[in-house]
Amino acid sequence: MSTIDFDNLSFAYHKTNTILYTEFKNGKWSEIESRTDDYISISAFAGSLHYGIQCFEGLKAFRGKDGKVRIFRPDENAKRLRKSAEYLGIEAPSEEMFIQMCKRIVKENIDFLPPYGNNASMYIRPILFGSNPQLGVKSSTECVFMMLCSPVGAYTGGALEAIDVVIARDYDRAAPNGSGAYKVGGNYACSLLSLNKAVKLGYKAVLYLDPTSRKFIDEYNSSNFFGIKGNSYITPLSDSILPSITNKSLEVAARELGMTVERRPVPVEELGSFEEVGECGTAVVITPVHKIVDKPSLESDQETVYTYGNGLCGEKSLALYKYITSIQYGEAPDKFGWTIEVEL
Ligand SMILES: Cc1ncc(COP(=O)(O)O)c(C=O)c1O
């Protein structure tokens, strides 16, 4: 039984009942094992440890108002994992296997799924990595696929609490024509130095510019960017950002709420004309941004500051947030068939 305090969850690791484990070897996946120990044994020569041959996903399961358990758009995560695996040149699980494993991990850890009513949920973390011993730099021929989970609350400590972020013009998250659009661990490694420096300066996230011209907004270290101007939801078009499933869902939500959607390059100067700005991603759907500080370098005292609202979530961002979360929590009809129910 879980002894977790579901009312005070952040985005952190909790030991659950099981993890799911399977290996791709000799052209096929092994039988999926439920393991109670989340320590695994792999070769010290595994390509993932040396060359970052690794990709992952993040999605959530929710306990609904009606008691039902729903997973939000796992088919999209399965497709994105396949794209990441193709980028790395490794095998990926089929969409069917991915979704089966999502359902199974939730079912086996159901006592860790937070109850309805406190904005908490079960975070599901699929991870795929090259596992055969190798010395040369090449795609792994064998890999491990695991499905992990952990109960989570709001990422930043409080859902819809506005944050301050910084543009670090002396760092890029991704290279031009590089891996920015794939969910590979290397992208996160590339963001850590700038993120650590930004956190020390009191910022919650880094907002990166496009690495080619540094004239347009790309995305944050772990979420996509959106801005609201008049009745428009505006989000960057860039080939170096992760195609966020939340952002894709928010675009639909915006249209449903009578807004227009613009996915296009967003020049940095346009930050001065948005009424609301936010981050979006699986972790909390939307985190409103209060302040964006643009610095020539993180060490510089020179800065241009853009401020939005009064520290609370803007009206349109809140409506978008509610549109998505009410489907996730079974409070509104799932008219687009986004959720998959877990039979308990
Ligand atoms: C770099 C990055 N961008 C965007 C997102 C948002 O993607 P999604 O909405 O699919 O969670 C994430 C993950 O949450 C991310 O790590």
Side-chain angles (χ1 to χ4, degrees):
M1 265 315 275
S2 127
T3 52
I4 289 170
D5 174 5
F6 288 124
D7 293 328
N8 289 299
L9 284 169
S10 62
F11 192 80
Y13 161 79
H14 289 277
K15 170 86 181 81
T16 58
N17 296 332
T18 56
I19 64 167
L20 302 183
Y21 181 99
T22 175
E23 279 173 8
F24 185 81
K25 239 182 201 177
N26 303 323
K28 60 178 196 317
W29 291 100
S30 63
E31 194 177 325
I32 298 157
E33 295 168 42
S34 299
R35 297 188 174 186
T36 53
D37 186 357
D38 56 16
Y39 282 75
I40 57 166
S41 171
I42 57 166
S43 166
F45 287 86
S48 50
L49 296 178
H50 300 257
Y51 307 123
I53 306 166
Q54 178 269 10
C55 55
F56 66 104
E57 273 304 322
L59 66 164
K60 280 181 166 182
F62 303 84
R63 172 82 67 180
K65 193 177 180 189
D66 52 5
K68 289 184 179 167
V69 177
R70 297 174 176 82
I71 304 177
F72 192 66
R73 308 194 78 172
D75 50 322
E76 290 288 332
N77 295 89
K79 290 186 183 91
R80 194 169 65 183
L81 184 77
R82 175 160 293 273
K83 285 194 181 137
S84 302
E86 279 167 7
Y87 183 76
L88 298 168
I90 58 174
E91 188 68 25
S94 68
E95 189 170 316
E96 190 196 357
M97 175 175 159
F98 183 100
I99 294 173
Q100 281 308 324
M101 287 175 74
C102 285
K103 289 183 179 172
R104 181 164 153 186
I105 196 71
V106 173
K107 216 168 158 176
E108 291 185 7
N109 294 286
I110 197 67
D111 42 333
F112 289 87
L113 180 73
Y116 170 76
N118 59 1
N119 282 325
S121 54
M122 169 82 82
Y123 184 77
I124 304 172
R125 166 54 59 83
I127 174 161
L128 176 69
F129 59 87
S131 55
N132 57 288
Q134 63 182 82
L135 263 192
V137 179
K138 55 184 172 200
S139 295
S140 306
T141 51
E142 295 173 3
C143 43
V144 167
F145 180 57
M146 296 190 295
M147 195 63 81
L148 322 175
C149 70
S150 189
V152 292
Y155 198 39
T156 52
L160 298 175
E161 228 172 68
I163 59 164
D164 294 349
V165 307
V166 64
I167 296 177
R169 286 177 179 265
D170 45 349
Y171 292 97
D172 295 312
R173 169 189 169 270
N177 303 321
S179 60
Y182 303 95
K183 204 164 171 72
V184 295
N187 290 339
Y188 298 82
C190 287
S191 72
L192 285 176
L193 180 59
S194 50
L195 179 63
N196 291 343
K197 287 187 176 184
V199 167
K200 262 198 193 138
L201 293 170
Y203 300 101
K204 282 280 192 320
V206 176
L207 178 56
Y208 297 97
L209 304 184
D210 81 282
T212 308
S213 72
R214 303 222 175 82
K215 289 193 173 128
F216 301 95
I217 304 289
D218 243 0
E219 67 170 333
Y220 305 93
N221 46 284
S222 60
S223 54
N224 271 185
F225 172 95
F226 73 90
I228 289 170
K229 198 191 299 187
N231 202 33
S232 291
Y233 177 89
I234 300 161
T235 194
L237 177 69
S238 162
D239 56 12
S240 51
I241 66 174
L242 189 75
S244 155
I245 295 157
T246 312
N247 202 359
K248 189 172 169 182
S249 311
L250 284 166
E251 287 180 331
V252 175
R255 286 196 188 94
E256 288 290 302
L257 293 171
M259 298 172 75
T260 51
V261 172
E262 299 175 33
R263 191 178 271 268
R264 57 164 169 81
V266 179
V268 182
E269 305 79 62
E270 199 174 352
L271 289 176
S273 62
F274 290 120
E275 286 122 35
E276 298 176 31
V277 158
E279 289 187 338
C280 64
T282 292
V284 267
V285 181
I286 279 176
T287 303
V289 168
H290 178 47
K291 217 192 263 179
I292 300 179
V293 179
D294 184 1
K295 285 168 167 285
S297 85
L298 278 178
E299 274 77 29
S300 170
D301 291 333
Q302 204 187 314
E303 54 187 43
T304 309
V305 181
Y306 303 93
T307 307
Y308 308 95
N310 51 6
L312 299 172
C313 189
E315 194 190 316
K316 292 219 158 74
S317 301
L318 187 61
L320 289 164
Y321 172 84
K322 287 202 169 137
Y323 189 95
I324 301 292
T325 53
S326 62
I327 293 172
Q328 291 174 330
Y329 287 109
E331 297 160 349
D334 177 11
K335 112 177 206 202
F336 300 102
W338 282 342
T339 61
I340 289 191
E341 228 180 275
V342 181
E343 302 292 338
L344 300 175

